[in-house]
Amino acid sequence: DIQMTQSPSTLSASVGDRVTITCRASEDIVTWLAWYQQRPGKAPKLLIYKASILEGGVPSRFSGSGSGTEFTLTISSLQPDDFATYYCQHYISYPYTFGQGTKLEIK
Amino acid sequence: DVQLVESGGGLVQPGGSLRVSCVGSGYPFSHYSMNWVRQAPGKGLEWISAISNTGTSTYYADSVKGRFSISRDNDKNSLYLQMNSLRVEDTAFYFCARDITYWGQGILVTVSS
């Protein structure tokens, strides 16, 4: 099974900051990677798919990059709504494993 | 609008069984594969099962293989997860998801004596 490792586990930042979350796959997943945002008590929301394609309705301050085994999610200028937990997930083959999550906290 | 609504959660004793359901609307249900993902309280997301659009192919995480069974009824726009031999560690919110895009609101399954 492909393992997904996210870093950091927790990230403290302020409104207006630029932040980057990293996701590493244990083997080549080409660009079959999704990023999700989850707020407490809510279902995950798809932000980015195929590593870099923004889902419709997602603000352009979110961007994704990478291929193979190294991927990043960047938020260019943090807004109050962005403080949540973020997950990566590969979907190249089953099982579609998730990273352990990155909790983005207000500094 | 795409909607996915889970039902059937609740409290069950260790070793017991439960079936959770998910009804999809707002899209051609039979055209898409479906997934179940769970999240233990305060923990991360865990993909546990998937089924192809026709139902002919099914997939499971090792943690549930042999105990859980995924199925679908395309005539009823419904997805199911039959959970047997439940353990305390199966306690979680269970989400259905249409491929990687749309998710239900989740349903809580609690396994406790």
Side-chain angles (χ1 to χ4, degrees):
Chain A
D1 296 356
I2 298 171
Q3 309 303 315
M4 307 300 292
T5 304
Q6 269 181 253
S7 59
S9 298
T10 307
L11 182 54
S12 296
S14 302
V15 172
D17 285 354
R18 178 186 179 91
V19 297
T20 298
I21 298 168
T22 297
C23 182
R24 289 187 174 85
S26 61
E27 57 188 84
D28 186 355
I29 59 168
V30 195
T31 55
W32 298 108
L33 184 96
W35 288 99
Y36 299 90
Q37 176 192 67
Q38 188 180 32
R39 296 194 177 95
K42 299 293 187 183
K45 173 188 170 185
L46 179 66
L47 298 175
I48 287 168
Y49 61 97
K50 212 127 186 318
S52 62
I53 302 174
L54 209 61
E55 174 70 349
V58 175
S60 59
R61 62 181 180 273
F62 291 91
S63 64
S65 66
S67 65
T69 61
E70 295 264 344
F71 302 86
T72 58
L73 172 70
T74 298
I75 310 172
S76 60
S77 178
L78 277 173
Q79 299 303 301
D81 242 7
D82 301 337
F83 292 94
T85 301
Y86 293 84
Y87 294 92
C88 63
Q89 181 197 28
H90 84 79
Y91 55 104
I92 191 170
S93 62
Y94 293 111
Y96 287 177
T97 45
F98 290 88
Q100 77 275 23
T102 296
K103 187 174 182 180
L104 183 50
E105 297 180 330
I106 300 174
K107 187 185 284 185
Chain B
D1 283 6
V2 173
Q3 278 204 315
L4 297 166
V5 180
E6 300 96 341
S7 62
L11 176 64
V12 61
Q13 291 191 336
S17 297
L18 196 67
R19 188 178 85 156
V20 292
S21 304
C22 168
V23 175
S25 61
Y27 73 98
F29 186 81
S30 64
H31 288 196
Y32 291 87
S33 63
M34 296 293 292
N35 296 268
W36 286 102
V37 175
R38 69 183 180 183
Q39 185 171 38
K43 302 297 185 183
L45 299 169
E46 179 187 17
W47 176 91
I48 58 170
S49 188
I51 187 167
S52 62
N53 64 314
T54 60
T56 53
S57 298
T58 58
Y59 309 89
Y60 298 94
D62 287 345
S63 58
V64 305
K65 201 174 293 183
R67 300 187 300 123
F68 289 13
S69 177
I70 190 172
S71 62
R72 66 190 296 161
D73 184 338
N74 285 342
D75 291 335
K76 296 182 178 178
N77 286 2
S78 292
L79 173 72
Y80 307 102
L81 185 68
Q82 176 67 43
M83 300 182 287
N84 299 329
S85 302
L86 281 160
R87 305 167 179 166
V88 170
E89 55 266 34
D90 294 319
T91 294
F93 287 92
Y94 285 74
F95 298 95
C96 64
R98 192 200 88 174
D99 45 68
I100 63 160
T101 316
Y102 294 98
W103 294 59
Q105 81 287 354
I107 194 88
L108 179 61
V109 172
T110 303
V111 185
S112 174
S113 54

